[in-house]
Amino acid sequence: MAERLLQASRQRRAKGMTAAAGSASRAALPLLLGALLAFGRAYVLDDSDGLGREFDGIGAISGGGATSRLLINYPEPYRSQILDFLFKPNFGASLHILKVEIGGDGQTTDGTEPSHMHYALDENYFRGYEWWLMKEAKKRNSNITLMGLPWSFPGWLGKRFDWPYVNRHLTAYYIVSWIMGAKRYHDLDIDYIGIWNERSYDINYIKVLRKMLNYQGLERVKIIASDNLWEPISASMLHDQELMEVIDVIGAHYPGTYTAKDARLTKKKLWSSEDFSTSNNAMGAGCWGRILNQNYVNGYMTSTIAWNVVSSYYEQLPYGRSGLMTAQEPWSGHYMVEAPIWISAHTTQFTRPGWYYLKTVGHLEKGGSYVALTDGLGNLTIIIETMSHKHSKCIRPLLPYFNVSHQVATFFLQGSFLLDSSSSFTVELQEDELFTLTTLTTGSKGSYPPPPKSQPFPPIYKDDFNVEYPFFSEAPNFADQTGVFEYFMNMEDPGEHRFTLRQVLNQRPITWAADAASTISIIGDYKWSNMTITCDVYIETPRKGGVFIAGRVNKGGILIRSARGIFFWIFANGTYRVTGDLAGWLIYAVGQVEVTAQEWYTLTLTIKGHVSSGTLNGKLLWSEVPVNFPKNGWAAIGTHSFDFAQFDNFHVDATP
């Protein structure tokens, strides 16, 4: 057994760690038969006293929110290559679990994701890209576990309250419909369903959800709660037997590798159902390597799920490049296979959900940790990490200081793993190293030819939205920050504006983060400074409706309410306005204009240096408006409030 482990360890699979995080590709270490180095420490790997907890897998999140937005726009073969690095077994990250946001129309960190039910009588199971991503994951790994969790909810569920539990049965119906739609329209079986990401849970709602799942024949779908902290959900379960029975997994976010006493007393599966959320550099790789081991060693968590699976959103949005890899340039095809991909592989390629941890796991004498897992059929995988405090800080929570230093560790195999008198091996460990020793021989470090070189967003960009049968509901490269903008077929206009982009929300969603009062979708290069933006606009709502085009928009995501820029508005009441912010507090110019609802107009905004100007249908409306801040930012379109409006023939010229 020890010789088999040594043979598999000769490829020390920490090559994903960068030099800054320590050298992890030194030569393999010799097997010492029956001899201990005088300065070494002995550790026993033994299943004689039974096994530990069942391993449920390593995964990542798409959503929370719009984190995979740009991925769908990648050309082939690069899009498939990215998906292979994420999901293909024995190739890259080889993820066991994919957790997706159930789109609820609200801003949920880096954008909005569309709901399958914008309105009470509306059902559409082809909006967004999470359906597509789940199918691509299943295509590569038919055994991957699929999870769904809402961050926000469409406003109609709250009946004018910012609360999804006003009508528990209606909200349960909404969630169960998503699960059933996944199966009916995409042949996807959802395995786990959550309650409300990092927000309050309602005990009676959880019970109603379980009953409705069972009524629809979805007994196999398990409930995870509460995707927040270990408490108070654990205490609630201990005091409510019915709640205890309907919850299958307790999921906590960013637990710092520790659980709570009450959570352990429930004897339920314990998961870190959202973790990592750290830049995918050397520090992030060290963070990920440490918590993948220590979430079990310290907290008995049998699954760890990273936010997020791939950084496919504009980098200047909050938490840029916090995915396991980076794919934020569909216009160039460039992507980066970051170190956390290979950190994941250390565990995912050499274990499977359904394996069991040994009880004999723990900390190393001079820092670091080790875990061992078995399939019960003779296979054994051991993962050893020595991540230092300096190189393994996650973004949250605060990491107490610890020390890691050079050490030698000898492992003795006992129980069913004791095959002969030489069932031991010794490894020399430096700081910031990651070892996987395994009896499996199926792992590999997948590769493709280098992708195209990185390129900035094209300085001249246009989209007429003339797509009769769009593959996705959203136009390429537009990133909705409040509201939802979808391809639309305008049946009332068989001419130039038959196919448009439409803002489709008519009420504020049940918010998770901080949706703005105005809807907005951004596009382009954050470094753009001088630019001319032209777009045809159509206000659908009489009297109170309004639309805008904007440039140098400097904020998005959860910060969208405070976005600055140059915003050129027209309103159905016959007025125009120029503001320095999305909220409309900084007014640069106002006036009367011949504008009404349900007519097409062409707006042009020009920003050059410290001045700006705007035209309506080619006629100068305002000019010489000073622009001192911001110096750069995205282009954008949007509406004054949650009203229907259409956009067409978008064009931006940001050439220097």
Side-chain angles (χ1 to χ4, degrees), residues 247-503:
I247 293 176
D248 300 280
V249 177
I250 303 177
H253 289 191
Y254 308 97
T257 75
Y258 289 93
T259 49
K261 180 181 178 181
D262 281 353
R264 295 190 297 273
L265 287 175
T266 66
K267 301 188 183 303
K268 293 287 185 175
K269 289 178 176 289
L270 308 177
W271 290 9
S272 176
S273 53
E274 182 177 321
D275 219 323
F276 183 60
S277 189
T278 303
S279 295
N280 54 26
N281 53 19
M283 180 74 77
C287 156
W288 190 228
R290 176 176 56 81
I291 64 177
L292 285 182
N293 262 25
Q294 295 195 26
N295 274 351
Y296 186 77
V297 171
N298 298 336
Y300 300 102
M301 286 167 267
T302 55
S303 177
T304 298
I305 302 174
W307 186 89
N308 57 74
V309 64
V310 57
S311 296
S312 280
Y313 48 101
Y314 291 114
E315 186 171 343
Q316 294 80 12
L317 288 169
Y319 307 103
R321 296 186 66 167
S322 292
L324 298 181
M325 64 180 292
T326 302
Q328 58 191 21
E329 291 185 20
W331 49 87
S332 71
H334 179 73
Y335 64 85
M336 290 174 282
V337 183
E338 310 283 7
I341 289 289
W342 306 117
I343 295 297
S344 304
H346 269 272
T347 298
T348 57
Q349 290 199 24
F350 309 104
T351 59
R352 301 288 183 272
W355 284 37
Y356 280 82
Y357 285 97
L358 300 192
K359 290 182 178 179
T360 49
V361 301
H363 290 277
L364 298 170
E365 180 182 31
K366 295 185 177 181
S369 65
Y370 65 96
V371 296
L373 300 96
T374 181
D375 64 354
L377 302 174
N379 284 308
L380 179 66
T381 289
I382 305 161
I383 305 155
I384 306 169
E385 60 82 20
T386 58
M387 302 304 167
S388 67
H389 183 273
K390 181 179 180 181
H391 292 137
S392 70
K393 296 177 184 176
C394 303
I395 194 171
R396 64 179 75 86
L398 180 68
L399 181 63
Y401 182 76
F402 60 87
N403 186 59
V404 176
S405 60
H406 170 265
Q407 58 192 304
V408 174
T410 297
F411 291 84
F412 287 88
L413 305 180
Q414 300 291 327
S416 67
F417 309 115
L418 179 61
L419 301 181
D420 52 55
S421 59
S422 62
S423 290
S424 67
F425 60 91
T426 298
V427 289
E428 182 181 0
L429 303 168
Q430 306 289 348
E431 290 184 32
D432 296 315
E433 291 192 327
L434 184 61
F435 284 70
T436 293
L437 302 98
T438 183
T439 57
L440 300 180
T441 59
T442 53
S444 68
K445 186 172 184 179
S447 65
Y448 284 111
K453 293 183 179 180
S454 175
Q455 297 288 338
F457 195 97
I460 299 177
Y461 184 85
K462 60 183 179 180
D463 195 335
D464 60 13
F465 311 118
N466 288 344
V467 183
E468 186 170 2
Y469 300 106
F471 192 61
F472 296 104
S473 59
E474 298 157 288
N477 303 319
F478 280 90
D480 303 346
Q481 300 303 304
T482 294
V484 174
F485 295 73
E486 297 178 349
Y487 281 120
F488 181 66
M489 181 182 293
N490 193 343
M491 302 301 294
E492 298 178 359
D493 188 340
E496 179 184 2
H497 300 295
R498 181 171 178 80
F499 300 104
T500 65
L501 191 68
R502 189 188 193 211
Q503 199 294 117

Side-chain angles (χ1 to χ4, degrees), residues 11 57 83 104 118 212 223 279 304 314 341 357 387 423 428 452 499 570 600 615 619 643:
Q11 299 178 357
L83 293 165
H118 292 319
M212 193 170 292
I223 291 178
S279 295
T304 298
Y314 291 114
I341 289 289
Y357 285 97
M387 302 304 167
S423 290
E428 182 181 0
F499 300 104
I570 60 171
W600 281 98
T615 70
K619 295 181 180 180
D643 290 315

Side-chain angles (χ1 to χ4, degrees), residues 45-57:
L45 301 176
D46 190 359
D47 63 352
S48 299
D49 191 32
L51 298 173
R53 293 192 173 217
E54 182 180 4
F55 175 64
D56 295 307

Side-chain angles (χ1 to χ4, degrees), residues 491-560:
M491 302 301 294
E492 298 178 359
D493 188 340
E496 179 184 2
H497 300 295
R498 181 171 178 80
F499 300 104
T500 65
L501 191 68
R502 189 188 193 211
Q503 199 294 117
V504 297
L505 299 190
N506 61 358
Q507 61 180 308
R508 185 181 182 86
I510 296 173
T511 189
W512 182 82
D515 294 271
S518 300
T519 72
I520 179 172
S521 186
I522 62 172
I523 189 170
D525 191 330
Y526 189 79
K527 297 178 181 179
W528 281 349
S529 180
N530 295 336
M531 65 185 84
T532 296
I533 305 159
T534 299
C535 189
D536 297 341
V537 298
Y538 184 88
I539 303 169
E540 295 190 33
T541 305
R543 294 182 299 279
K544 67 175 184 176
V547 297
F548 70 82
I549 61 174
R552 293 189 185 177
V553 178
N554 72 339
K555 291 182 182 178
I558 54 177
L559 305 175
I560 190 60

